[in-house]
CSV table of all heavy atoms in Angstrom, one decimal:
chain,number,residue,atom,x,y,z
A,27,THR,N,109.2,127.3,79.9
A,27,THR,CA,108.9,126.0,79.2
A,27,THR,C,110.2,125.5,78.7
A,27,THR,O,110.4,124.2,78.7
A,27,THR,CB,107.9,126.3,78.1
A,27,THR,OG1,106.7,127.0,78.7
A,27,THR,CG2,107.5,125.0,77.4
A,28,TRP,N,111.1,126.2,78.2
A,28,TRP,CA,112.3,125.7,77.5
A,28,TRP,C,113.2,125.0,78.5
A,28,TRP,O,114.0,124.2,78.1
A,28,TRP,CB,113.1,126.8,76.7
A,28,TRP,CG,113.6,127.8,77.6
A,28,TRP,CD1,112.8,129.0,77.9
A,28,TRP,CD2,114.8,128.0,78.3
A,28,TRP,NE1,113.6,129.9,78.7
A,28,TRP,CE2,114.9,129.2,79.0
A,28,TRP,CE3,115.9,127.1,78.4
A,28,TRP,CZ2,115.9,129.6,79.7
A,28,TRP,CZ3,117.0,127.5,79.1
A,28,TRP,CH2,117.0,128.8,79.8
A,29,LEU,N,113.1,125.4,79.8
A,29,LEU,CA,114.0,124.9,80.8
A,29,LEU,C,113.5,123.6,81.5
A,29,LEU,O,114.3,122.9,82.2
A,29,LEU,CB,114.2,126.0,81.8
A,29,LEU,CG,115.4,125.8,82.9
A,29,LEU,CD1,116.7,125.5,82.3
A,29,LEU,CD2,115.4,127.0,83.9
A,30,ARG,N,112.2,123.2,81.4
A,30,ARG,CA,111.6,122.2,82.0
A,30,ARG,C,112.2,120.9,81.6
A,30,ARG,O,112.6,120.0,82.6
A,30,ARG,CB,110.1,122.3,81.8
A,30,ARG,CG,109.5,123.4,82.5
A,30,ARG,CD,108.0,123.5,82.1
A,30,ARG,NE,107.4,124.8,82.6
A,30,ARG,CZ,106.2,125.2,82.4
A,30,ARG,NH1,105.3,124.4,81.8
A,30,ARG,NH2,105.7,126.4,82.7
A,31,LYS,N,112.4,120.6,80.4
A,31,LYS,CA,112.8,119.3,80.0
A,31,LYS,C,114.2,119.0,80.5
A,31,LYS,O,114.5,117.9,81.1
A,31,LYS,CB,112.7,119.1,78.5
A,31,LYS,CG,113.0,117.7,78.0
A,31,LYS,CD,112.7,117.5,76.6
A,31,LYS,CE,112.9,116.0,76.2
A,31,LYS,NZ,112.6,115.7,74.8
A,32,PRO,N,115.2,119.9,80.3
A,32,PRO,CA,116.6,119.6,80.8
A,32,PRO,C,116.7,119.5,82.3
A,32,PRO,O,117.4,118.6,82.9
A,32,PRO,CB,117.4,120.8,80.3
A,32,PRO,CG,116.4,121.9,79.9
A,32,PRO,CD,115.2,121.2,79.4
A,33,VAL,N,115.9,120.3,83.1
A,33,VAL,CA,115.9,120.2,84.5
A,33,VAL,C,115.3,118.9,85.0
A,33,VAL,O,116.0,118.2,85.8
A,33,VAL,CB,115.2,121.4,85.2
A,33,VAL,CG1,115.0,121.1,86.6
A,33,VAL,CG2,115.8,122.7,85.0
A,34,TYR,N,114.2,118.6,84.5
A,34,TYR,CA,113.5,117.3,84.9
A,34,TYR,C,114.2,116.1,84.4
A,34,TYR,O,114.3,115.1,85.0
A,34,TYR,CB,112.1,117.3,84.5
A,34,TYR,CG,111.2,118.4,85.1
A,34,TYR,CD1,110.2,118.9,84.2
A,34,TYR,CD2,111.5,118.9,86.2
A,34,TYR,CE1,109.4,119.9,84.6
A,34,TYR,CE2,110.7,120.1,86.6
A,34,TYR,CZ,109.7,120.6,85.9
A,34,TYR,OH,108.9,121.6,86.3
A,35,SER,N,114.9,116.2,83.2
A,35,SER,CA,115.6,115.0,82.7
A,35,SER,C,116.8,114.7,83.5
A,35,SER,O,117.2,113.6,83.7
A,35,SER,CB,116.0,115.3,81.3
A,35,SER,OG,114.9,115.4,80.3
A,36,LEU,N,117.5,115.8,84.1
A,36,LEU,CA,118.6,115.6,85.0
A,36,LEU,C,118.2,114.9,86.2
A,36,LEU,O,118.8,114.0,86.8
A,36,LEU,CB,119.2,117.0,85.2
A,36,LEU,CG,120.5,116.9,86.3
A,36,LEU,CD1,121.6,116.1,85.8
A,36,LEU,CD2,120.9,118.3,86.7
A,37,TYR,N,117.0,115.3,86.8
A,37,TYR,CA,116.4,114.7,88.0
A,37,TYR,C,116.1,113.2,87.7
A,37,TYR,O,116.5,112.3,88.5
A,37,TYR,CB,115.3,115.4,88.5
A,37,TYR,CG,114.7,115.0,89.8
A,37,TYR,CD1,115.1,115.6,91.0
A,37,TYR,CD2,113.7,113.9,89.9
A,37,TYR,CE1,114.7,115.2,92.2
A,37,TYR,CE2,113.3,113.5,91.1
A,37,TYR,CZ,113.7,114.1,92.2
A,37,TYR,OH,113.3,113.7,93.4
A,38,ILE,N,115.5,113.0,86.6
A,38,ILE,CA,115.1,111.6,86.2
A,38,ILE,C,116.3,110.7,86.1
A,38,ILE,O,116.4,109.6,86.5
A,38,ILE,CB,114.3,111.6,84.8
A,38,ILE,CG1,112.9,112.2,85.1
A,38,ILE,CG2,114.2,110.2,84.3
A,38,ILE,CD1,112.2,112.6,83.8
A,39,TRP,N,117.4,111.2,85.5
A,39,TRP,CA,118.7,110.4,85.3
A,39,TRP,C,119.4,110.2,86.6
A,39,TRP,O,119.8,109.1,86.9
A,39,TRP,CB,119.6,111.2,84.3
A,39,TRP,CG,121.0,110.5,84.1
A,39,TRP,CD1,121.2,109.4,83.4
A,39,TRP,CD2,122.1,110.8,84.9
A,39,TRP,NE1,122.5,109.1,83.5
A,39,TRP,CE2,123.2,109.9,84.4
A,39,TRP,CE3,122.5,111.8,85.8
A,39,TRP,CZ2,124.5,110.0,84.9
A,39,TRP,CZ3,123.8,112.0,86.1
A,39,TRP,CH2,124.8,111.0,85.7
Side-chain angles (χ1 to χ4, degrees):
T27 305
W28 63 269
L29 190 58
R30 294 175 190 177
K31 188 169 183 179
V33 168
Y34 301 147
S35 294
L36 177 62
Y37 187 92
I38 289 167
W39 177 79

